[in-house]
């Protein structure tokens, strides 16, 4: 599966952005999907994991502010980001793997996914 992120940009603190991750080559609705972010010289960190059964796992730093959802076609996953803070500034990546819900919950916040997008930059000032 090929993944393409979009929707990044620059926003003031307190603002919102919605990122999209669109898959091709397969139906990503049956995949474990993850959103990650990375700043230079830091490790990539998990933001949220979304299992094929719809269950989710969020990083503490984004709980209550970020929401992952799936599009009606099940080939797009969205990350709605509200109440953005300067520390949310990063390159955001989506990832996918054919893990069932149990594995997605256990490994979905780690970087072991097989498929990755190219990233989209989010800057909060």
């Amino acid at each position: 599966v090929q993944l393409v992120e979009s929707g990044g940009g620059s926003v003031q603190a307190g603002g919102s952005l919605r990122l999209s991750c669109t898959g091709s080559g397969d139906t990503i609705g049956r995949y474990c999907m993850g959103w990650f972010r990375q700043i230079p010289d830091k490790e990539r960190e998990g933001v949220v994991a979304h299992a094929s059964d719809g269950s989710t796992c969020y990083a503490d730093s984004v709980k209550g502010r970020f929401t992952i959802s799936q599009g009606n076609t099940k080939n797009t996953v969205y990350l709605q980001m509200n109440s953005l803070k300067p520390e949310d500034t990063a390159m955001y990546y989506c990832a996918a793997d054919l893990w069932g819900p149990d594995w997605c919950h256990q490994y979905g916040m780690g970087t072991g996914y097989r498929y990755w997008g190219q990233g989209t930059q989010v800057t909060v000032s």
Side-chain angles (χ1 to χ4, degrees), residues 30-96:
R30 65 194 190 100
Y31 283 70
C32 172
M33 301 294 298
W35 280 99
F36 291 77
R37 62 187 182 187
Q38 188 172 24
I39 58 175
D41 299 324
K42 295 289 186 181
E43 291 187 358
R44 195 169 293 188
E45 65 168 348
V47 174
V48 60
H50 179 277
S52 56
D53 64 357
S55 56
T56 57
C57 178
Y58 291 89
D60 289 342
S61 58
V62 305
K63 279 180 183 176
R65 300 190 299 122
F66 290 12
T67 304
I68 191 170
S69 61
Q70 197 161 49
N72 291 334
T73 64
K74 296 194 181 297
N75 257 42
T76 301
V77 171
Y78 301 102
L79 183 66
Q80 178 68 42
M81 305 187 297
N82 299 329
S83 302
L84 282 162
K85 305 174 181 180
E87 52 263 44
D88 295 318
T89 295
M91 184 73 79
Y92 282 73
Y93 300 88
C94 70

Side-chain angles (χ1 to χ4, degrees), residues 103-115:
W103 274 65
C104 192
H105 285 291
Q106 185 167 0
Y107 299 110
M109 296 294 277
T111 56
Y113 290 82
R114 282 182 290 174
Y115 308 107

